[in-house]
Amino acid sequence: FLPKLIVRILCENIFYLMQTDNLADIPLTSTGYVRRDFRHEYQKNTDLRYNWLRYRLTPETYTICRKAFRGGDTHASYWFSGDIVKNVWSYDISSSYPAAMLFDKFPVTKFTEIKPQTYIRKKCLPKFAALLFVVYKNIKYIGEACLPYIPIDKLQQCSKQRINDNGRLLECLQDKDGNDGFISLWLTDIDLKIIEHDYQYEKRYLKRVFISKYGDLPEEHKTQLMHYFRLKTQLKNVPGKEYEYTKAKNRLNSGYGMMVTDIVRPVLEYTDDYERPRYPDLNEALSEFYHSRSNFLRYDQGLWVTANARYRLRQMIWKIGKDCIYCDTDSIKCRGCHDDVINEYNREMIQRAEKLGYYADDPAGKRHYLGTWETD
């Protein structure tokens, strides 16, 4: 009975979708609908396709982007780990990734390699996004919040004397035999700022630097994001619209995920005995990606979505300090009430949102903003 019911449900769904689509056009996933909406918006501006091809990633810069990519910042304070903590407050950022795409800056030109000395010397560097290969000598976490930032699995090289705090680097110092501790990894300039704040070290070496001019995401991208945000807000707390609200919320959040879909994905070959992943040639995969009319988003810009969101999260962690217990992508658990710093931050974000028009009103007339902290 159950298999027949599932088949009937799928058939009914397909017939419903074919009112506006045909079998060749129906997206296979929920993100497929989001990608199609954004693609239609992007097609309104022919310059976007031209620039997308002009600033395409090379095999080298794509490989570097893969090494520098990170998701959300999730970790527990080693000071509170294993304890039962009372009087815990929880705060989270409203639509953290969409807010990053609307408010923050992104690489908008082709990544070009420059000499590390030039990067250190130039005063115009805040105008450029950067991918950097960095080596640290005798580095140690000194943050008040007890939430180390550097992930062990992103280290390209690391001395044996490192101390691992549940997947994060606590320190890598000189050992008892006098051997210095070294780590190396690829970073964005945003990650570099966080490490400079949270760690102390004896020396830092910049080995390679690639830069791209900072700018905003296309207005077409922001327009579609705000459409989803306003739709979600209008459906908020409306009786009988719970499903539509959830779908609108998911589509808003999917605006980031489609940006970092891996360009070079393994092909699964099935034999009589097992399935075997086969990785395509990097040059061929990139060539196929940029020749397709279906693709239109820059993978490298996706790196800065999460990087900017991590920086926004760390800014609040620095304000709350030693009371932080746990952080997860867009939320903080902390000891005690910290509404004072939350409200101070929100006032600044609301001023920016009002100026740019990034807000929406719900059916009750309450105004909602992206990127503000809320009590969970």
Side-chain angles (χ1 to χ4, degrees), residues 70 72-81 141 145-152 163-170 199 310 313-314 317 324-334:
R70 281 185 64 180
D73 187 1
T74 303
H75 202 66
S77 166
Y78 57 77
W79 181 257
F80 292 104
S81 184
Y141 175 73
C146 302
L147 293 165
Y149 181 75
I150 299 174
I152 296 292
I163 296 181
N164 182 345
D165 174 43
N166 195 25
R168 299 292 177 89
L169 182 74
L170 195 57
Y199 287 81
R310 289 193 302 272
L313 182 72
R314 283 280 156 172
I317 289 173
C324 285
I325 299 171
Y326 176 78
C327 67
D328 184 358
T329 308
D330 61 353
S331 65
I332 294 175
K333 303 286 190 294
C334 58

Side-chain angles (χ1 to χ4, degrees), residues 232-242 245 362-364 368:
K232 183 195 86 164
T233 305
Q234 290 163 7
L235 294 169
K236 191 177 182 68
N237 298 325
V238 177
K241 295 291 184 180
E242 293 81 7
Y245 170 78
D362 65 20
H368 296 262

Side-chain angles (χ1 to χ4, degrees), residues 64-65 68 111 129-133 186-188 208-210 303-304:
I64 291 170
C65 283
F111 273 99
L131 291 165
L132 312 105
F133 186 64
W186 282 98
L187 301 169
T188 67
R208 299 188 71 186
V209 178
F210 291 78
L303 272 67
W304 265 258

Side-chain angles (χ1 to χ4, degrees), residues 49-260:
R49 177 75 184 181
Y50 171 77
N51 288 331
W52 183 72
L53 292 170
R54 180 184 178 190
Y55 302 137
R56 61 187 290 174
L57 292 170
T58 66
E60 182 180 33
T61 52
Y62 169 74
T63 302
I64 291 170
C65 283
R66 290 292 298 158
K67 292 177 179 178
F69 172 74
R70 281 185 64 180
D73 187 1
T74 303
H75 202 66
S77 166
Y78 57 77
W79 181 257
F80 292 104
S81 184
D83 292 343
I84 297 175
V85 186
K86 297 181 180 180
N87 188 28
V88 174
W89 287 64
S90 180
Y91 301 96
D92 63 21
I93 306 174
S94 171
S95 303
S96 177
Y97 286 172
M101 287 186 271
L102 289 168
F103 290 106
D104 297 325
K105 300 297 182 181
F106 295 83
V108 295
T109 57
K110 194 179 186 71
F111 273 99
T112 304
E113 187 167 16
I114 63 171
K115 294 180 179 180
Q117 295 84 353
T118 304
Y119 183 80
I120 296 171
R121 195 168 55 242
K122 292 289 185 180
K123 295 182 179 180
C124 60
L125 289 178
K127 299 180 180 179
F128 292 90
L131 291 165
L132 312 105
F133 186 64
V134 188
V135 178
Y136 287 102
K137 175 184 174 182
N138 294 333
I139 186 170
K140 180 181 180 179
Y141 175 73
I142 57 171
E144 185 183 16
C146 302
L147 293 165
Y149 181 75
I150 299 174
I152 296 292
D153 67 345
K154 284 296 179 181
L155 299 180
Q156 300 296 300
Q157 293 175 316
C158 184
S159 303
K160 294 181 180 179
Q161 60 265 39
R162 74 186 187 195
I163 296 181
N164 182 345
D165 174 43
N166 195 25
R168 299 292 177 89
L169 182 74
L170 195 57
E171 63 180 51
C172 188
L173 301 173
Q174 191 177 78
D175 64 17
K176 60 182 180 180
D177 296 323
N179 299 312
D180 290 323
F182 285 94
I183 65 165
S184 64
L185 71 168
W186 282 98
L187 301 169
T188 67
D189 58 294
I190 305 295
D191 295 311
L192 185 68
K193 286 196 295 186
I194 296 173
I195 292 173
E196 296 293 300
H197 185 280
D198 279 0
Y199 287 81
Q200 70 177 15
Y201 49 86
E202 185 176 334
K203 284 188 178 180
R204 184 194 70 189
Y205 308 92
L206 297 184
K207 295 296 185 180
R208 299 188 71 186
V209 178
F210 291 78
I211 63 170
S212 168
K213 189 176 180 180
Y214 262 133
D216 293 330
L217 288 181
E219 284 302 318
E220 291 75 10
H221 195 102
K222 296 181 179 183
T223 298
Q224 190 60 45
L225 273 178
M226 284 305 302
H227 169 73
Y228 285 149
F229 178 68
R230 292 190 175 106
L231 180 61
K232 183 195 86 164
T233 305
Q234 290 163 7
L235 294 169
K236 191 177 182 68
N237 298 325
V238 177
K241 295 291 184 180
E242 293 81 7
Y243 174 77
E244 289 84 352
Y245 170 78
T246 301
K247 294 297 290 185
K249 182 178 180 180
N250 290 343
R251 290 192 177 187
L252 175 64
N253 293 331
S254 296
Y256 154 71
M258 64 180 182
M259 296 183 72
V260 289

